[in-house]
Amino acid sequence: MRRTLAAIRREGSHTLRRRAPQPLVSVACPVFGDDDRIAAALSVVVPMEHAEPRLLVPAVRTAARAISRGLGAQRSIGLVPAP
């Protein structure tokens, strides 16, 4: 779990492939609040046969950043450099 969370922090997203009972792919990205802390997550789940994670990740990340911006996040989405 710690490795997974570290990878999510590093990459800004997580992709999960589930094979049973129905093959699905889920892509999730964090949503940040005005205190630049994670407030929620945004995800999309699609049948594996239609999944293109390389296309889904940027789309979900863009939507999560837009929501974060709407909530007032700045540093966590790159609008203000980290100190």
Side-chain angles (χ1 to χ4, degrees):
M1 177 73 112
R2 288 184 182 168
R3 275 187 242 139
T4 300
L5 292 173
I8 294 167
R9 282 188 203 97
R10 197 173 47 253
E11 297 167 20
S13 67
H14 184 65
T15 301
L16 177 69
R17 291 168 178 84
R18 185 183 84 180
R19 303 221 183 275
Q22 178 183 358
L24 298 172
V25 172
S26 173
V27 173
C29 294
V31 173
F32 297 90
D34 62 355
D35 58 359
D36 285 320
R37 295 178 63 187
I38 294 175
L42 179 68
S43 70
V44 62
V45 180
V46 297
M48 193 174 290
E49 64 192 39
H50 301 297
E52 295 263 359
R54 65 183 179 79
L55 300 176
L56 292 172
V57 169
V60 175
R61 184 180 293 131
T62 298
R65 283 187 173 184
I67 294 167
S68 296
R69 231 181 342 275
L71 293 174
Q74 293 187 16
R75 181 174 297 139
S76 59
I77 59 172
L79 295 178
V80 175

